[in-house]
Amino acid sequence: PKMKIAVRKKEERKKKKTVSPPTNMEAAFKIFEELKKEWKANNLDKVGALLPKMKIALTQMSFLPNTEQPPSEKELVLARDALEIGALWSVKTGATDAFERYISQLKAYYFDFKSLLQESEYMNELLGLNLLHLLSENRIGDFHTELERYDCSLLSNMYIKHPVQIEQFLMEGAYNRVFMSRAAVPSDSYYFFMDILLETIREDIATCCERSYTQLTRDGACKLLLLESPADLDGLAKEHDWKIENGVVYFAAHRETSATIPAKKVIERTLEYAKELERIV
């Protein structure tokens, strides 16, 4: 009996030794499966709690590959798909800063490792969302810089074409066409940045109205501000301290004090600069 017990203990020790702990890839994949499950179920709070864990797991792999270690295709796909969920989650929760960070990380997988990976089904949607995000923040220069990175074939894609058309409307000053384009978004995820952009445009129009008019009819103000109903005008009027009486909108007066130019000092400094230039020459 004692011999049998000793043999069993040895076998149990061997089993314990042979059972290896899960690899980094397996641990990350397990978290990703849970993340994907909660994302499909639209549990945004749980997705937000899982994303930091997913990032920590990715740092143990080729999360951002370098030249020292050759990237694994499985690891690249896992990291890319997890980052895409993070970017889409950021849009749904209104976390614009987080969205920008996720997009900057995804660019490595979309462009630098394009030859190693199959094209993601969310790539065009997220690249278009990034363009729309830049427009909503009035970052026109960054918009064109970003657009230069894209292949010409992408310009005909509906996700990319939509923000490109909006940028053209903005340059033309055709704000009504920008507002109309909200009804033609290629995905529901575009509504978030579209609403930010439209609100920014409406604020610019409101400022112009204050500078250009002392009063307008209620219907005329709604038409200029591209509001759907006169009721929407009440909230905007409170924000800008406008008065509405008897169907007329009275804009708050903006008096601009004329800045006096110290002509004498300007002339003296200009002459000093001229003398210094003569000495240098």
Side-chain angles (χ1 to χ4, degrees), residues 214 216 237-238 240-245 248-252:
T214 56
L216 278 173
K238 288 180 181 180
H240 290 266
D241 195 24
W242 300 340
K243 291 183 180 180
I244 302 176
E245 295 178 355
V248 179
V249 182
Y250 297 92
F251 297 106

Side-chain angles (χ1 to χ4, degrees), residues 120-277:
S120 168
E121 60 177 314
Y122 292 108
M123 185 186 77
N124 293 330
E125 179 180 352
L126 286 169
L127 290 178
L129 274 171
N130 185 42
L131 292 175
L132 195 58
H133 163 61
L134 295 174
L135 288 179
S136 68
E137 292 191 347
N138 200 26
R139 293 159 60 182
I140 305 299
D142 292 338
F143 174 88
H144 288 286
T145 302
E146 193 68 27
L147 198 60
E148 287 177 0
R149 296 190 65 180
Y150 301 170
D151 293 334
C152 295
S153 58
L154 285 177
L155 298 179
S156 59
N157 184 275
M158 63 177 181
Y159 293 110
I160 308 298
K161 191 176 181 180
H162 184 265
V164 170
Q165 285 181 338
I166 289 176
E167 191 270 340
Q168 292 174 352
F169 297 153
L170 290 172
M171 294 299 101
E172 296 169 2
Y175 295 141
N176 60 327
R177 299 185 73 178
V178 177
F179 276 75
M180 290 170 61
S181 64
R182 188 186 185 279
V185 292
S187 173
D188 291 344
S189 58
Y190 278 54
Y191 285 123
F192 173 67
F193 290 123
M194 276 298 300
D195 290 339
I196 295 176
L197 176 61
L198 298 183
E199 189 63 29
T200 302
I201 293 173
R202 187 173 283 115
E203 284 295 325
D204 290 341
I205 297 173
T207 302
C208 292
C209 288
E210 291 175 340
R211 305 294 183 186
S212 304
Y213 305 99
T214 56
Q215 65 184 51
L216 278 173
T217 62
R218 192 183 183 97
D219 293 337
C222 287
K223 188 175 180 180
L224 278 175
L225 293 165
L226 302 169
L227 295 170
E228 294 181 359
S229 65
D232 297 333
L233 183 62
D234 296 335
L236 195 63
K238 288 180 181 180
E239 292 176 7
H240 290 266
D241 195 24
W242 300 340
K243 291 183 180 180
I244 302 176
E245 295 178 355
N246 300 323
V248 179
V249 182
Y250 297 92
F251 297 106
H254 287 265
R255 297 177 182 178
E256 297 182 359
T257 56
S258 58
T260 57
I261 301 174
K264 188 176 180 181
K265 288 184 178 180
V266 172
I267 293 171
E268 288 176 354
R269 288 179 183 177
T270 305
L271 291 173
E272 287 177 5
Y273 295 150
K275 289 178 181 178
E276 292 296 330
L277 284 172

Side-chain angles (χ1 to χ4, degrees), residues 37-101:
K37 178 183 175 183
E38 298 299 339
W39 172 249
K40 288 182 178 179
N42 201 30
N43 295 327
L44 299 182
D45 293 336
K46 291 184 178 180
V47 171
L50 286 169
L51 280 170
K53 296 179 182 179
M54 189 74 238
K55 290 179 185 177
I56 294 172
L58 290 176
T59 56
Q60 307 300 322
M61 310 184 320
S62 301
F63 174 37
L64 291 175
N66 50 55
T67 54
E68 297 177 0
Q69 184 179 1
S72 166
E73 184 179 353
K74 289 183 179 180
E75 292 181 357
L76 291 177
V77 172
L78 177 63
R80 184 195 65 188
D81 293 349
L83 290 172
E84 287 178 339
I85 291 177
L88 293 170
W89 171 85
S90 301
V91 174
K92 276 199 170 185
T93 56
T96 54
D97 292 339
F99 172 79
E100 196 162 348
R101 288 193 295 270

